[in-house]
Amino acid sequence: FLIWWVLMPIRFLYMPSDKGPQAWTENAHMFSWRMKLRDRDCHADYYGVYPETKEAFSIPSKKILSEKQFTRYFNRPSSLLQYAHFLADLYDTGRGRPEIYA
């Protein structure tokens, strides 16, 4: 247990990277003690297109997500993809599954 708490924060030193040990990825940064050293303000607009009809539509994310989700969701790249898959399922009606773009 103690070994885990000692090695986890310094794992960037032994993680393989083509740019060297100091090149942080978002996954490595998320679980680091250094996480609170920076803050990002992100925004994303989503729209969808039905491929068969080429009909495009805007997606009101503020009406779908709660306030807490809306402020935190777009800071994480994996969350953007997860939300796009959710929207494709949500808007999958009789016209087929739409393509979702951010």
Side-chain angles (χ1 to χ4, degrees):
F1 182 76
L2 181 62
I3 293 172
W4 172 262
W5 285 106
V6 171
L7 294 179
M8 183 69 169
I10 61 170
R11 75 179 189 277
F12 70 92
L13 295 173
Y14 53 88
M15 287 179 68
S17 174
D18 58 346
K19 297 177 185 173
Q22 300 298 325
W24 285 84
T25 63
E26 286 298 319
N27 289 336
H29 185 75
M30 256 180 170
F31 296 104
S32 169
W33 284 351
R34 301 176 188 186
M35 180 63 187
K36 297 297 179 186
L37 293 180
R38 70 177 175 114
D39 190 23
R40 293 179 288 181
D41 189 23
C42 300
H43 177 76
D45 293 322
Y46 280 87
Y47 68 95
V49 176
Y50 288 105
E52 294 82 18
T53 62
K54 304 294 184 207
E55 176 188 350
F57 58 94
S58 179
I59 298 172
S61 292
K62 279 196 172 189
K63 292 182 180 179
I64 297 172
L65 299 172
S66 69
E67 187 65 33
K68 184 177 180 179
Q69 289 172 327
F70 190 77
T71 56
R72 293 185 180 180
Y73 216 72
F74 302 115
N75 290 340
R76 299 182 179 120
S78 60
S79 297
L80 293 173
L81 180 61
Q82 182 182 11
Y83 184 54
H85 287 295
F86 167 77
L87 290 173
D89 292 338
L90 183 67
Y91 285 94
D92 187 4
T93 59
R95 294 180 281 185
R97 186 177 174 91
E99 297 174 354
I100 304 295
Y101 299 96

